[in-house]
Amino acid sequence: MITLAEGLRLPTNGLDYTILALYFIVVLGIGFAAKRSVRTSLDFFLSGRSLPAWVTGLAFVAANLGATEILGMAANGAQYGAYTVHWYWIGAIPAMVFLGLVMMPFYYGSKVRSVPEFLLHRFGPSSHLLSSIIFAVSSVLIAGVNLYAMAIVLQALLGWPQWVAIVVAGFFVLAYITIGGLTSAIYNEVLQFFVILAALIPLTVVGLKRVGGWDGLTHSLNSSHGDAFLTAWKGTGIGEGNPLGANWLTIVLGLGFVMSFGYWTTNFAEVQRALSAKNLSAAKRTPLIAAFPKIFIPMVVVVPGLIALVMEPTLGKSTDGLQYNDAIPVLMRDLLPNGVLGIAVTGLLAAFMAGMAANVSSFNTVFTNDIWAAYLKKGREDAYYLRTGRVVTAVGVLIGMGTAFIASSFSNIMNYLQTLFSFFNVPLFVVFIIGMFWKRTSAAAGFWGLLSGTAAAMVNYFWFYKQGIIAIPSDQGANFVSSIVAFVVGALVMVVVTLVTKPRPAESLAGLVYGTRSPGMEELPAEGDDAWYRKPALLGWGAVVLAAVCYIPFSF
């Protein structure tokens, strides 16, 4: 899944380890401080729906900014060049804005505790149970990726045995989530966001200086990789070749629409942060606030991948040498002095823990509320489900320690994660988007659309792509195609099944279908929420325009 080359050991000293120890102390301190606010299961799973928008917004982006994102997108930058910005400006921002402006009123207004619970209200128990199982499985898979990848990185950089790294990081994530619930996870994610930036910004600045600034970087890469390597769209015509192995159609439809909207609008690890907001206005603004730092993340993630490619031209050239996943560790080894090196290691560890914690906290919510309480142990007192949530957190961490070995065949960790998203998130998005905008959609259509979309993505990837029946140049290109296949098959099945089955009564769809409202949607803005700079429409369209402007330097 992620292999780091020999010779990446960092020259850490006592100062670096002191910084790391202080970080762990602060993490546990936040967990104990949050414990005082955990009295009910709602407090544990959704922070009592009490957090301000700026906190949930930073937690929203930090939950996505795990170390798999940092290492993986830097690897993508080194492997695919400027094409990697598509994952941000077309593959994230529009979907985040859609979530805030269109979908959060339905999620928050219906007072659901999870994304699968929304499907229970819209489609019934069959779709609810299937989506809960799918999400629980995908959560521990992704949590395991973060934990195992971190162990490999710390072994290479610090010399820690893998089992030590797994136990140490797993213990701290388990401790602060079990003690303080989602509140602890969210406030730690806010801290981790700033720690991650404190690690990446010096790495980028010093790296650019080492390669002669932006002009030196572009000159070197244009000479070695051609002038298309630093453009986002050149070579993406249908039938043309490029490092990404995708054309403009699969980028726009596969990544920009299907995969992006599938991930950002249905992934409960993200949506959970918005559901913990103190009111509907704050919930809507959560992904919109997160969109602005997300726009600029390529500057400190993708650019270091490009810098590493100039500093280490052999990156990814041989199986026994430096791999694309080595991009960030190479820069840390070659550029940072002690002290700053300790901050960088702490930032990388914080990123792993943020990604893992986001998935573990969403796993315990879905398993406890949507599987255990809904189908196995109904009608117990609230304290019982609070205890269950804490136990399930421990179980999720333990399962996560073993799941990432499934990904050992992937040399680029983002390829693996994008494969999971095409399997699990895209079919969910199909069901959501059709059920939300077409009242006629039946309960049976939701179940069969979800099942058929998931199966179609897997068949396309494991049979058509892996068996060479269809020639697709790269894993990422295959993921884009799998996403389109999942969306089309799921949508067609939903339409056909809807037309031959009985729809739900219209009166039962209030607040669940576009054009209807539930009492929760009538909530008035809190004091100050109606200020012009807090208006969701302004924030959302401002983010979309800014993302489009960012494309200009990479389009010619």
Side-chain angles (χ1 to χ4, degrees), residues 3-186:
T3 55
L4 297 184
E6 294 295 330
L8 287 179
R9 189 67 48 82
L10 300 178
T12 50
N13 62 16
L15 176 60
D16 301 312
Y17 280 105
T18 299
I19 294 171
L20 194 58
L22 287 174
Y23 170 73
F24 279 126
I25 292 171
V26 172
V27 162
L28 288 182
I30 291 174
F32 280 106
K35 182 180 180 181
R36 293 177 297 179
S37 65
V38 180
R39 298 181 178 85
T40 68
S41 63
L42 184 66
D43 295 333
F44 185 79
F45 295 120
L46 286 180
S47 302
R49 291 196 172 100
S50 62
L51 301 180
W54 74 269
V55 170
T56 55
L58 290 180
F60 189 99
V61 70
N64 177 254
L65 191 60
T68 48
E69 163 92 358
I70 294 171
L71 293 179
M73 284 304 178
N76 274 0
Q79 184 173 0
Y80 304 129
Y83 296 104
T84 309
V85 300
H86 291 308
W87 270 271
Y88 295 88
W89 300 333
I90 197 173
I93 302 306
M96 294 168 73
V97 170
F98 184 82
L99 171 64
L101 296 182
V102 178
M103 297 190 71
M104 281 315 303
F106 294 96
Y107 283 142
Y108 199 91
S110 60
K111 299 301 180 185
V112 297
R113 291 190 174 197
S114 69
V115 169
E117 188 179 343
F118 185 85
L119 291 183
L120 174 64
H121 296 319
R122 177 61 182 89
F123 293 107
S126 297
S127 298
H128 174 238
L129 180 58
L130 178 61
S131 65
S132 299
I133 293 172
I134 287 175
F135 186 81
V137 170
S138 65
S139 293
V140 292
L141 284 173
I142 298 171
V145 171
N146 280 279
L147 188 60
Y148 184 70
M150 182 212 62
I152 300 297
V153 170
L154 292 185
Q155 182 184 40
L157 300 186
L158 303 180
W160 293 12
Q162 286 187 29
W163 70 269
V164 172
I166 287 174
V167 170
V168 169
F171 167 77
F172 279 98
V173 170
L174 174 61
Y176 73 72
I177 296 180
T178 304
I179 293 169
L182 183 65
T183 301
S184 175
I186 285 178

Side-chain angles (χ1 to χ4, degrees), residues 53 78 233 249 264 297:
W233 295 106
L249 185 63
W264 290 103
I297 291 298

Side-chain angles (χ1 to χ4, degrees), residues 429-483:
F429 174 63
V430 177
V431 174
F432 267 87
I433 204 69
I434 293 180
M436 190 174 286
F437 287 95
W438 189 21
K439 289 183 181 180
R440 176 73 172 76
T441 311
S442 65
F447 174 83
W448 290 108
L450 181 58
L451 185 62
S452 63
T454 302
M458 291 181 174
V459 167
N460 178 76
Y461 188 85
F462 290 115
W463 187 24
F464 288 103
Y465 170 58
K466 285 296 187 181
Q467 299 303 316
I469 297 175
I470 295 179
I472 304 175
S474 67
D475 285 346
Q476 289 290 9
N479 292 334
F480 297 163
V481 174
S482 294
S483 299

Side-chain angles (χ1 to χ4, degrees), residues 239-547:
E240 293 186 69
N242 60 70
L244 188 58
N247 57 54
W248 68 267
L249 185 63
T250 55
I251 291 172
V252 172
L253 292 183
L255 173 62
F257 176 60
V258 180
M259 289 187 75
S260 170
F261 279 67
Y263 174 80
W264 290 103
T265 64
T266 66
N267 183 28
F268 186 48
E270 303 293 337
V271 175
Q272 187 180 28
R273 275 73 194 144
L275 289 179
S276 67
K278 63 182 180 180
N279 56 31
L280 177 57
S281 174
K284 291 167 67 175
R285 283 183 280 125
T286 294
L288 306 179
I289 291 172
F292 286 91
K294 185 70 176 177
I295 290 172
F296 297 103
I297 291 298
M299 301 301 107
V300 292
V301 174
V302 180
V303 171
L306 299 174
I307 294 170
L309 195 60
V310 173
M311 291 183 60
E312 293 285 352
T314 61
L315 208 66
K317 299 299 183 184
S318 63
T319 56
D320 57 349
L322 292 170
Q323 302 300 306
Y324 292 120
N325 286 320
D326 296 325
I328 293 291
V330 161
L331 297 186
M332 290 170 60
R333 181 197 66 187
D334 294 345
L335 298 177
L336 299 183
N338 292 110
V340 179
L341 188 60
I343 294 173
V345 172
T346 303
L348 202 57
L349 187 59
F352 278 120
M353 292 172 66
M356 182 183 179
N359 284 281
V360 169
S361 61
S362 56
F363 168 77
N364 66 25
T365 302
V366 168
F367 187 89
T368 303
N369 290 325
D370 296 289
I371 298 177
W372 193 259
Y375 299 100
L376 300 176
K377 298 291 182 180
K378 300 180 181 180
R380 299 294 184 93
E381 68 278 6
D382 186 72
Y384 171 81
Y385 296 119
L386 178 57
R387 291 193 301 271
T388 301
R390 289 195 162 109
V391 172
V392 170
T393 301
V395 173
V397 171
L398 291 174
I399 295 175
M401 289 180 179
T403 55
F405 291 97
I406 298 171
S408 59
S409 62
F410 288 81
S411 62
N412 183 321
I413 52 180
M414 284 310 298
N415 290 344
Y416 171 59
L417 291 177
Q418 296 291 325
T419 301
L420 292 181
F421 298 151
S422 68
F423 289 173
F424 300 129
N425 292 92
V426 171
L428 266 176
F429 174 63
V430 177
V431 174
F432 267 87
I433 204 69
I434 293 180
M436 190 174 286
F437 287 95
W438 189 21
K439 289 183 181 180
R440 176 73 172 76
T441 311
S442 65
F447 174 83
W448 290 108
L450 181 58
L451 185 62
S452 63
T454 302
M458 291 181 174
V459 167
N460 178 76
Y461 188 85
F462 290 115
W463 187 24
F464 288 103
Y465 170 58
K466 285 296 187 181
Q467 299 303 316
I469 297 175
I470 295 179
I472 304 175
S474 67
D475 285 346
Q476 289 290 9
N479 292 334
F480 297 163
V481 174
S482 294
S483 299
I484 295 172
V485 169
F487 186 89
V488 172
V489 170
L492 289 175
V493 168
M494 288 188 72
V495 170
V496 171
V497 174
T498 292
L499 295 177
V500 298
T501 53
K502 184 178 179 180
R504 293 187 60 185
E507 58 271 15
S508 68
L509 299 178
L512 302 173
V513 178
Y514 195 77
T516 67
R517 302 188 71 82
S518 68
M521 293 182 178
E522 302 297 337
E523 179 182 320
L524 295 175
E527 183 178 355
D529 283 351
D530 55 354
W532 67 269
Y533 57 86
R534 292 183 176 179
K535 291 189 179 298
L538 177 64
L539 291 171
W541 286 109
V544 170
V545 171
L546 183 58

Side-chain angles (χ1 to χ4, degrees), residues 194-204 336 340 343-348:
F194 291 107
V195 172
I196 292 166
L197 290 184
L200 294 178
I201 291 174
L203 201 64
T204 306
L336 299 183
V340 179
I343 294 173
V345 172
T346 303
L348 202 57

